[in-house]
Amino acid sequence: MSVETTVHLLRHGEVHNPDGILYGRRPGYNLSELGLKMAERVADQIGGQDITHIVSSPLERAQQTAGPLAKALGVEISLDERVLESENLFVGKSFKDGLGPLKDPKMWPKLINPLKPSWGEPYLEIVARMMAAVYDARDAARGHEAVIVSHQLPIWTARLNIEGRSFLHDPRKRQCALCSLTSLHFVDNEFVALSYSEPAGDMLSAKDKYAPFSAGDSEEN
């Protein structure tokens, strides 16, 4: 008899980051007031589903996003470094004005190979760690559902891989909004379908939902 299992990849909510810093794996970047409300919305929307396993990136914003859902379900959160944000050479730089340090010619050599990419953690390394975490979550929740709270680029890269698409892409066109769910559906061990939803999609403008990283200011939302 076939067993159906779903692994939801949940991007964290809005982060309080009014200076527009590319924070990457830096500690201390927490959800904004709106981000906390977005996490509660996710819990309200999917807290009644058959979710038996919750995994989170160790970063604060991911754990804060997982918290309301874990509480609603009575499920313990497991931390997994494999679903961390990707590494990036521009971490710590401000992109508040848009392109930020990318306008500096001294930075251009770091952009030479978008297929790798040359400015950060190789896509194949992101895929390897993310898919290993996905398969472990699938096995832990077999016959039920699992949630992995992660970050935009790792989730998007995993999606490109599982759909057999090129890693070359425009970051502004990733379908991975804040607090969105990229859901991977399996029958036994075989991936059979992908679905996408935005439980908190009405709480942010399109510009903020789809930005490559969250630069929210809770005092303005």
Side-chain angles (χ1 to χ4, degrees):
M1 181 178 176
S2 297
V3 176
E4 298 181 5
T5 308
T6 299
V7 179
H8 304 282
L9 303 180
L10 170 62
R11 186 185 174 195
H12 62 78
E14 186 196 70
V15 176
H16 181 66
N17 180 25
D19 293 326
I21 301 297
L22 181 62
Y23 39 74
R25 295 181 177 181
R26 285 188 168 189
Y29 283 87
N30 297 281
L31 295 186
S32 66
E33 292 181 10
L34 179 59
L36 293 170
K37 292 177 182 176
M38 295 173 74
E40 293 285 355
R41 169 72 70 80
V42 171
D44 290 343
Q45 291 289 317
I46 67 171
Q49 295 180 197
D50 186 22
I51 297 167
T52 60
H53 186 63
I54 298 177
V55 175
S56 174
S57 158
L59 293 171
E60 294 101 321
R61 58 192 184 271
Q63 292 192 59
Q64 291 169 339
T65 302
L69 180 61
K71 182 178 180 181
L73 293 165
V75 174
E76 185 175 343
I77 300 171
S78 299
L79 301 185
D80 192 338
E81 292 192 353
R82 295 177 297 180
V83 301
L84 272 169
E85 178 62 281
S86 57
E87 296 179 335
N88 192 300
L89 295 176
F90 295 102
V91 165
K93 306 291 186 181
S94 175
F95 286 78
K96 190 172 184 178
D97 66 346
L99 292 176
L102 300 183
K103 294 184 291 185
D104 184 352
K106 291 184 293 186
M107 297 292 182
W108 293 349
K110 298 179 180 179
L111 307 174
I112 196 168
N113 185 357
L115 279 171
K116 186 177 180 181
S118 51
W119 57 84
E121 182 180 7
Y123 290 127
L124 290 177
E125 292 183 11
I126 299 172
V127 165
R129 60 181 175 85
M130 283 294 292
M131 294 312 299
V134 165
Y135 295 143
D136 283 352
R138 176 201 62 195
D139 294 344
R142 192 169 293 277
H144 306 278
E145 300 176 42
V147 171
I148 297 176
V149 186
S150 185
H151 310 269
Q152 190 193 64
L153 182 56
I155 293 172
W156 184 246
T157 304
R159 175 173 176 173
L160 292 177
N161 173 74
I162 206 164
E163 291 186 328
R165 296 160 63 186
S166 170
F167 294 131
L168 183 62
H169 68 279
D170 183 342
R172 298 167 298 181
K173 296 181 179 179
R174 295 171 185 157
Q175 188 184 41
C176 189
L178 290 165
C179 272
S180 63
L181 290 164
T182 299
S183 302
L184 310 178
H185 305 278
F186 296 88
V187 174
D188 296 330
N189 290 337
E190 183 180 357
F191 168 74
V192 294
L194 183 146
S195 59
Y196 175 81
S197 61
E198 297 178 2
D202 63 316
M203 301 178 77
L204 281 172
S205 68
K207 176 179 71 69
D208 292 330
K209 279 193 298 183
Y210 298 105
F213 66 97
S214 179
D217 181 350
S218 60
E219 296 178 354
E220 296 181 358
N221 287 288

PDB file of all heavy atoms in Angstrom, residues 95-118:
ATOM      1  N   PHE A  95      21.845  47.142   1.575  1.00  0.00           N
ATOM      2  CA  PHE A  95      21.210  47.238   0.261  1.00  0.00           C
ATOM      3  C   PHE A  95      19.964  48.129   0.351  1.00  0.00           C
ATOM      4  O   PHE A  95      19.022  47.974  -0.417  1.00  0.00           O
ATOM      5  CB  PHE A  95      20.820  45.852  -0.243  1.00  0.00           C
ATOM      6  CG  PHE A  95      21.990  45.026  -0.715  1.00  0.00           C
ATOM      7  CD1 PHE A  95      22.824  44.395   0.199  1.00  0.00           C
ATOM      8  CD2 PHE A  95      22.263  44.880  -2.065  1.00  0.00           C
ATOM      9  CE1 PHE A  95      23.900  43.623  -0.226  1.00  0.00           C
ATOM     10  CE2 PHE A  95      23.339  44.113  -2.502  1.00  0.00           C
ATOM     11  CZ  PHE A  95      24.166  43.488  -1.581  1.00  0.00           C
ATOM     12  N   LYS A  96      19.992  49.048   1.313  1.00  0.00           N
ATOM     13  CA  LYS A  96      18.813  49.881   1.542  1.00  0.00           C
ATOM     14  C   LYS A  96      18.436  50.697   0.309  1.00  0.00           C
ATOM     15  O   LYS A  96      17.250  50.956   0.057  1.00  0.00           O
ATOM     16  CB  LYS A  96      19.056  50.806   2.727  1.00  0.00           C
ATOM     17  CG  LYS A  96      17.808  51.537   3.208  1.00  0.00           C
ATOM     18  CD  LYS A  96      18.057  52.285   4.505  1.00  0.00           C
ATOM     19  CE  LYS A  96      16.780  52.925   5.024  1.00  0.00           C
ATOM     20  NZ  LYS A  96      16.995  53.621   6.319  1.00  0.00           N
ATOM     21  N   ASP A  97      19.459  51.095  -0.499  1.00  0.00           N
ATOM     22  CA  ASP A  97      19.179  51.898  -1.690  1.00  0.00           C
ATOM     23  C   ASP A  97      19.003  51.046  -2.947  1.00  0.00           C
ATOM     24  O   ASP A  97      19.013  51.557  -4.058  1.00  0.00           O
ATOM     25  CB  ASP A  97      20.297  52.917  -1.918  1.00  0.00           C
ATOM     26  CG  ASP A  97      21.631  52.278  -2.278  1.00  0.00           C
ATOM     27  OD1 ASP A  97      21.761  51.047  -2.092  1.00  0.00           O
ATOM     28  OD2 ASP A  97      22.522  53.000  -2.765  1.00  0.00           O
ATOM     29  N   GLY A  98      18.846  49.732  -2.768  1.00  0.00           N
ATOM     30  CA  GLY A  98      18.648  48.846  -3.911  1.00  0.00           C
ATOM     31  C   GLY A  98      19.879  48.017  -4.216  1.00  0.00           C
ATOM     32  O   GLY A  98      20.128  46.994  -3.571  1.00  0.00           O
ATOM     33  N   LEU A  99      20.709  48.462  -5.149  1.00  0.00           N
ATOM     34  CA  LEU A  99      21.877  47.691  -5.552  1.00  0.00           C
ATOM     35  C   LEU A  99      23.001  47.729  -4.527  1.00  0.00           C
ATOM     36  O   LEU A  99      23.818  46.818  -4.463  1.00  0.00           O
ATOM     37  CB  LEU A  99      22.394  48.208  -6.904  1.00  0.00           C
ATOM     38  CG  LEU A  99      21.486  47.955  -8.101  1.00  0.00           C
ATOM     39  CD1 LEU A  99      22.077  48.604  -9.343  1.00  0.00           C
ATOM     40  CD2 LEU A  99      21.280  46.464  -8.328  1.00  0.00           C
ATOM     41  N   GLY A 100      23.077  48.789  -3.729  1.00  0.00           N
ATOM     42  CA  GLY A 100      24.067  48.863  -2.663  1.00  0.00           C
ATOM     43  C   GLY A 100      25.483  48.642  -3.165  1.00  0.00           C
ATOM     44  O   GLY A 100      25.943  49.291  -4.118  1.00  0.00           O
ATOM     45  N   PRO A 101      26.224  47.701  -2.543  1.00  0.00           N
ATOM     46  CA  PRO A 101      27.630  47.469  -2.916  1.00  0.00           C
ATOM     47  C   PRO A 101      27.817  46.910  -4.320  1.00  0.00           C
ATOM     48  O   PRO A 101      28.929  46.918  -4.837  1.00  0.00           O
ATOM     49  CB  PRO A 101      28.106  46.464  -1.851  1.00  0.00           C
ATOM     50  CG  PRO A 101      26.872  45.786  -1.384  1.00  0.00           C
ATOM     51  CD  PRO A 101      25.804  46.838  -1.424  1.00  0.00           C
ATOM     52  N   LEU A 102      26.754  46.464  -4.962  1.00  0.00           N
ATOM     53  CA  LEU A 102      26.893  45.932  -6.320  1.00  0.00           C
ATOM     54  C   LEU A 102      27.257  47.035  -7.326  1.00  0.00           C
ATOM     55  O   LEU A 102      27.692  46.737  -8.438  1.00  0.00           O
ATOM     56  CB  LEU A 102      25.596  45.247  -6.754  1.00  0.00           C
ATOM     57  CG  LEU A 102      25.125  44.072  -5.897  1.00  0.00           C
ATOM     58  CD1 LEU A 102      23.872  43.452  -6.504  1.00  0.00           C
ATOM     59  CD2 LEU A 102      26.214  43.025  -5.748  1.00  0.00           C
ATOM     60  N   LYS A 103      27.106  48.292  -6.922  1.00  0.00           N
ATOM     61  CA  LYS A 103      27.470  49.401  -7.791  1.00  0.00           C
ATOM     62  C   LYS A 103      28.965  49.698  -7.738  1.00  0.00           C
ATOM     63  O   LYS A 103      29.470  50.470  -8.549  1.00  0.00           O
ATOM     64  CB  LYS A 103      26.671  50.648  -7.393  1.00  0.00           C
ATOM     65  CG  LYS A 103      25.179  50.524  -7.632  1.00  0.00           C
ATOM     66  CD  LYS A 103      24.438  51.803  -7.309  1.00  0.00           C
ATOM     67  CE  LYS A 103      24.435  52.101  -5.825  1.00  0.00           C
ATOM     68  NZ  LYS A 103      23.598  53.285  -5.507  1.00  0.00           N
ATOM     69  N   ASP A 104      29.658  49.090  -6.797  1.00  0.00           N
ATOM     70  CA  ASP A 104      31.096  49.314  -6.634  1.00  0.00           C
ATOM     71  C   ASP A 104      31.866  48.412  -7.602  1.00  0.00           C
ATOM     72  O   ASP A 104      31.797  47.186  -7.499  1.00  0.00           O
ATOM     73  CB  ASP A 104      31.498  49.000  -5.194  1.00  0.00           C
ATOM     74  CG  ASP A 104      32.962  49.295  -4.917  1.00  0.00           C
ATOM     75  OD1 ASP A 104      33.718  49.595  -5.858  1.00  0.00           O
ATOM     76  OD2 ASP A 104      33.347  49.219  -3.736  1.00  0.00           O
ATOM     77  N   PRO A 105      32.619  48.994  -8.558  1.00  0.00           N
ATOM     78  CA  PRO A 105      33.361  48.166  -9.522  1.00  0.00           C
ATOM     79  C   PRO A 105      34.303  47.160  -8.874  1.00  0.00           C
ATOM     80  O   PRO A 105      34.590  46.112  -9.470  1.00  0.00           O
ATOM     81  CB  PRO A 105      34.147  49.207 -10.340  1.00  0.00           C
ATOM     82  CG  PRO A 105      33.347  50.459 -10.219  1.00  0.00           C
ATOM     83  CD  PRO A 105      32.769  50.437  -8.831  1.00  0.00           C
ATOM     84  N   LYS A 106      34.783  47.446  -7.665  1.00  0.00           N
ATOM     85  CA  LYS A 106      35.676  46.510  -6.983  1.00  0.00           C
ATOM     86  C   LYS A 106      34.960  45.215  -6.620  1.00  0.00           C
ATOM     87  O   LYS A 106      35.601  44.186  -6.383  1.00  0.00           O
ATOM     88  CB  LYS A 106      36.252  47.168  -5.730  1.00  0.00           C
ATOM     89  CG  LYS A 106      37.233  48.296  -6.015  1.00  0.00           C
ATOM     90  CD  LYS A 106      37.837  48.846  -4.744  1.00  0.00           C
ATOM     91  CE  LYS A 106      36.789  49.546  -3.888  1.00  0.00           C
ATOM     92  NZ  LYS A 106      37.409  50.209  -2.702  1.00  0.00           N
ATOM     93  N   MET A 107      33.640  45.258  -6.564  1.00  0.00           N
ATOM     94  CA  MET A 107      32.862  44.073  -6.217  1.00  0.00           C
ATOM     95  C   MET A 107      32.510  43.230  -7.442  1.00  0.00           C
ATOM     96  O   MET A 107      32.114  42.076  -7.309  1.00  0.00           O
ATOM     97  CB  MET A 107      31.563  44.486  -5.492  1.00  0.00           C
ATOM     98  CG  MET A 107      31.777  45.186  -4.166  1.00  0.00           C
ATOM     99  SD  MET A 107      32.453  44.057  -2.926  1.00  0.00           S
ATOM    100  CE  MET A 107      32.534  45.149  -1.494  1.00  0.00           C
ATOM    101  N   TRP A 108      32.636  43.771  -8.632  1.00  0.00           N
ATOM    102  CA  TRP A 108      32.165  43.089  -9.839  1.00  0.00           C
ATOM    103  C   TRP A 108      32.833  41.739 -10.092  1.00  0.00           C
ATOM    104  O   TRP A 108      32.171  40.822 -10.591  1.00  0.00           O
ATOM    105  CB  TRP A 108      32.313  44.006 -11.048  1.00  0.00           C
ATOM    106  CG  TRP A 108      31.410  45.195 -10.984  1.00  0.00           C
ATOM    107  CD1 TRP A 108      30.379  45.403 -10.105  1.00  0.00           C
ATOM    108  CD2 TRP A 108      31.454  46.356 -11.821  1.00  0.00           C
ATOM    109  NE1 TRP A 108      29.779  46.619 -10.321  1.00  0.00           N
ATOM    110  CE2 TRP A 108      30.409  47.232 -11.374  1.00  0.00           C
ATOM    111  CE3 TRP A 108      32.253  46.752 -12.885  1.00  0.00           C
ATOM    112  CZ2 TRP A 108      30.175  48.460 -11.971  1.00  0.00           C
ATOM    113  CZ3 TRP A 108      32.006  47.981 -13.498  1.00  0.00           C
ATOM    114  CH2 TRP A 108      30.987  48.812 -13.050  1.00  0.00           C
ATOM    115  N   PRO A 109      34.131  41.549  -9.757  1.00  0.00           N
ATOM    116  CA  PRO A 109      34.725  40.218  -9.968  1.00  0.00           C
ATOM    117  C   PRO A 109      34.027  39.104  -9.191  1.00  0.00           C
ATOM    118  O   PRO A 109      34.083  37.939  -9.579  1.00  0.00           O
ATOM    119  CB  PRO A 109      36.172  40.407  -9.496  1.00  0.00           C
ATOM    120  CG  PRO A 109      36.446  41.848  -9.716  1.00  0.00           C
ATOM    121  CD  PRO A 109      35.152  42.545  -9.368  1.00  0.00           C
ATOM    122  N   LYS A 110      33.341  39.483  -8.101  1.00  0.00           N
ATOM    123  CA  LYS A 110      32.625  38.478  -7.320  1.00  0.00           C
ATOM    124  C   LYS A 110      31.342  38.013  -8.006  1.00  0.00           C
ATOM    125  O   LYS A 110      30.721  37.025  -7.590  1.00  0.00           O
ATOM    126  CB  LYS A 110      32.292  39.038  -5.937  1.00  0.00           C
ATOM    127  CG  LYS A 110      33.516  39.395  -5.103  1.00  0.00           C
ATOM    128  CD  LYS A 110      33.135  39.972  -3.759  1.00  0.00           C
ATOM    129  CE  LYS A 110      34.364  40.316  -2.930  1.00  0.00           C
ATOM    130  NZ  LYS A 110      34.014  40.897  -1.615  1.00  0.00           N
ATOM    131  N   LEU A 111      30.950  38.707  -9.065  1.00  0.00           N
ATOM    132  CA  LEU A 111      29.702  38.397  -9.765  1.00  0.00           C
ATOM    133  C   LEU A 111      29.938  37.677 -11.084  1.00  0.00           C
ATOM    134  O   LEU A 111      29.020  37.513 -11.876  1.00  0.00           O
ATOM    135  CB  LEU A 111      28.921  39.694 -10.029  1.00  0.00           C
ATOM    136  CG  LEU A 111      28.660  40.591  -8.824  1.00  0.00           C
ATOM    137  CD1 LEU A 111      28.013  41.891  -9.278  1.00  0.00           C
ATOM    138  CD2 LEU A 111      27.781  39.881  -7.806  1.00  0.00           C
ATOM    139  N   ILE A 112      31.155  37.212 -11.303  1.00  0.00           N
ATOM    140  CA  ILE A 112      31.555  36.735 -12.625  1.00  0.00           C
ATOM    141  C   ILE A 112      30.846  35.452 -13.063  1.00  0.00           C
ATOM    142  O   ILE A 112      30.631  35.216 -14.239  1.00  0.00           O
ATOM    143  CB  ILE A 112      33.090  36.551 -12.682  1.00  0.00           C
ATOM    144  CG1 ILE A 112      33.561  36.433 -14.134  1.00  0.00           C
ATOM    145  CG2 ILE A 112      33.531  35.349 -11.852  1.00  0.00           C
ATOM    146  CD1 ILE A 112      35.063  36.532 -14.288  1.00  0.00           C
ATOM    147  N   ASN A 113      30.445  34.612 -12.115  1.00  0.00           N
ATOM    148  CA  ASN A 113      29.845  33.319 -12.490  1.00  0.00           C
ATOM    149  C   ASN A 113      28.516  33.104 -11.753  1.00  0.00           C
ATOM    150  O   ASN A 113      28.482  32.542 -10.660  1.00  0.00           O
ATOM    151  CB  ASN A 113      30.805  32.174 -12.174  1.00  0.00           C
ATOM    152  CG  ASN A 113      30.274  30.828 -12.653  1.00  0.00           C
ATOM    153  OD1 ASN A 113      29.166  30.732 -13.178  1.00  0.00           O
ATOM    154  ND2 ASN A 113      31.056  29.788 -12.467  1.00  0.00           N
ATOM    155  N   PRO A 114      27.400  33.540 -12.341  1.00  0.00           N
ATOM    156  CA  PRO A 114      26.104  33.384 -11.675  1.00  0.00           C
ATOM    157  C   PRO A 114      25.614  31.944 -11.600  1.00  0.00           C
ATOM    158  O   PRO A 114      24.667  31.651 -10.863  1.00  0.00           O
ATOM    159  CB  PRO A 114      25.167  34.229 -12.538  1.00  0.00           C
ATOM    160  CG  PRO A 114      25.814  34.243 -13.883  1.00  0.00           C
ATOM    161  CD  PRO A 114      27.288  34.237 -13.635  1.00  0.00           C
ATOM    162  N   LEU A 115      26.226  31.038 -12.334  1.00  0.00           N
ATOM    163  CA  LEU A 115      25.806  29.641 -12.287  1.00  0.00           C
ATOM    164  C   LEU A 115      26.355  28.904 -11.065  1.00  0.00           C
ATOM    165  O   LEU A 115      25.830  27.872 -10.675  1.00  0.00           O
ATOM    166  CB  LEU A 115      26.250  28.909 -13.554  1.00  0.00           C
ATOM    167  CG  LEU A 115      25.355  29.099 -14.775  1.00  0.00           C
ATOM    168  CD1 LEU A 115      26.017  28.511 -16.006  1.00  0.00           C
ATOM    169  CD2 LEU A 115      23.986  28.478 -14.544  1.00  0.00           C
ATOM    170  N   LYS A 116      27.402  29.438 -10.450  1.00  0.00           N
ATOM    171  CA  LYS A 116      28.014  28.724  -9.325  1.00  0.00           C
ATOM    172  C   LYS A 116      27.290  28.926  -8.002  1.00  0.00           C
ATOM    173  O   LYS A 116      26.982  27.893  -7.356  1.00  0.00           O
ATOM    174  CB  LYS A 116      29.495  29.129  -9.212  1.00  0.00           C
ATOM    175  CG  LYS A 116      30.248  28.332  -8.166  1.00  0.00           C
ATOM    176  CD  LYS A 116      31.711  28.713  -8.130  1.00  0.00           C
ATOM    177  CE  LYS A 116      32.439  27.900  -7.064  1.00  0.00           C
ATOM    178  NZ  LYS A 116      33.872  28.260  -6.980  1.00  0.00           N
ATOM    179  N   PRO A 117      27.002  30.089  -7.423  1.00  0.00           N
ATOM    180  CA  PRO A 117      27.391  31.402  -7.875  1.00  0.00           C
ATOM    181  C   PRO A 117      28.735  31.810  -7.265  1.00  0.00           C
ATOM    182  O   PRO A 117      29.107  31.325  -6.192  1.00  0.00           O
ATOM    183  CB  PRO A 117      26.266  32.277  -7.335  1.00  0.00           C
ATOM    184  CG  PRO A 117      25.913  31.635  -6.026  1.00  0.00           C
ATOM    185  CD  PRO A 117      26.077  30.158  -6.243  1.00  0.00           C
ATOM    186  N   SER A 118      29.439  32.719  -7.926  1.00  0.00           N
ATOM    187  CA  SER A 118      30.774  33.109  -7.487  1.00  0.00           C
ATOM    188  C   SER A 118      30.759  33.994  -6.240  1.00  0.00           C
ATOM    189  O   SER A 118      31.799  34.190  -5.623  1.00  0.00           O
ATOM    190  CB  SER A 118      31.496  33.836  -8.625  1.00  0.00           C
ATOM    191  OG  SER A 118      30.698  34.870  -9.162  1.00  0.00           O
TER     192      SER A 118
END
